[in-house]
Amino acid sequence: KKSVTMAQFVASFVQQNDTELISKHLCLLDTGSGMSAFANKNLVNNIRRCADDEVLALFLNGGTKAYDEEGECSFLPMKVHYNASSLANILALRDVANMDGVRITMDTAVNRSINVMLKSGSTLVFKEIDEGIYCFDTRLLANAKNSITGYLFLSTMSANKSNFTRAEIQGVD
């Protein structure tokens, strides 16, 4: 069994008390966590049972919450634990920092956020929503996919020929 951080404990506790404080669309970036765990099925691909030694368990006053499923994060190339009854989607900063080609920056003189720059060139901005709690709204991913970020203009030689005379194409004066 693996241990968890205070952020995971609080998320589980709030869920057990039927309190919804954190939107299922938000993803917390936890600087103290050793494991990444999600509650939103739409953010996890290829959900499957964990190996026995990979099960994540939270031990609480009210009982235990197990994360006995895992999959791949839908917006980062990394494995995450999954439990639909949990409250929050939590990325361990350690897991994100260990990804190939990732650069993580924070400059509090500019703003209160943690920037995760990916190899692809895109940046996920985890904004501070409370003292020391940094979140990314995953609904921004859908908006980014629907926006046009570049153009490709392609034309063929035969289409271009119609703009010139035969003499111009052959280079005859």
Side-chain angles (χ1 to χ4, degrees):
K1 307 286 179 188
K2 307 227 182 209
S3 62
V4 296
T5 66
M6 184 57 73
Q8 289 168 321
F9 172 82
V10 169
S12 180
F13 177 80
V14 170
Q15 180 65 31
Q16 284 188 355
N17 290 292
D18 296 325
T19 306
E20 183 168 310
L21 295 177
I22 303 172
S23 164
K24 294 282 188 180
H25 300 289
L26 292 181
C27 183
L28 302 170
L29 186 61
D30 189 348
T31 59
S33 180
M35 300 296 291
S36 296
F38 279 30
N40 185 341
K41 188 175 191 170
N42 296 325
L43 300 178
V44 184
N45 298 325
N46 191 27
I47 297 173
R48 60 198 176 272
R49 302 276 305 165
C50 293
D52 288 341
D53 63 340
E54 291 289 318
V55 172
L56 177 64
L58 296 176
F59 298 96
L60 309 167
N61 290 341
T64 303
K65 180 170 289 295
Y67 289 81
D68 57 359
E69 293 182 298
E70 65 184 7
E72 285 75 40
C73 177
S74 65
F75 58 93
L76 291 173
M78 61 184 292
K79 183 176 83 169
V80 296
H81 281 81
Y82 170 72
N83 185 320
S85 69
S86 184
L87 172 71
N89 306 299
I90 299 172
L91 283 172
L93 180 67
R94 178 188 77 173
D95 291 345
V96 176
N98 285 335
M99 291 173 38
D100 184 41
V102 167
R103 182 173 178 211
I104 299 172
T105 62
M106 179 180 197
D107 186 348
T108 56
V110 176
N111 60 32
R112 303 285 297 188
S113 65
I114 298 174
N115 303 302
V116 177
M117 292 166 272
L118 306 174
K119 189 182 343 184
S120 67
S122 60
T123 300
L124 303 178
V125 179
F126 290 80
K127 296 180 180 180
E128 186 175 41
I129 60 169
D130 199 358
E131 291 185 33
I133 307 224
Y134 294 87
C135 290
F136 173 73
D137 188 339
T138 60
R139 291 174 291 196
L140 296 173
L141 296 169
N143 293 339
K145 288 178 185 173
N146 293 330
S147 66
I148 298 174
T149 56
Y151 299 94
L152 175 63
F153 295 100
L154 177 67
S155 58
T156 63
M157 290 283 285
S158 57
N160 285 334
K161 281 184 182 180
S162 65
N163 297 319
F164 300 94
T165 66
R166 184 175 182 90
E168 289 173 320
I169 293 171
Q170 294 177 345
V172 177
D173 291 325

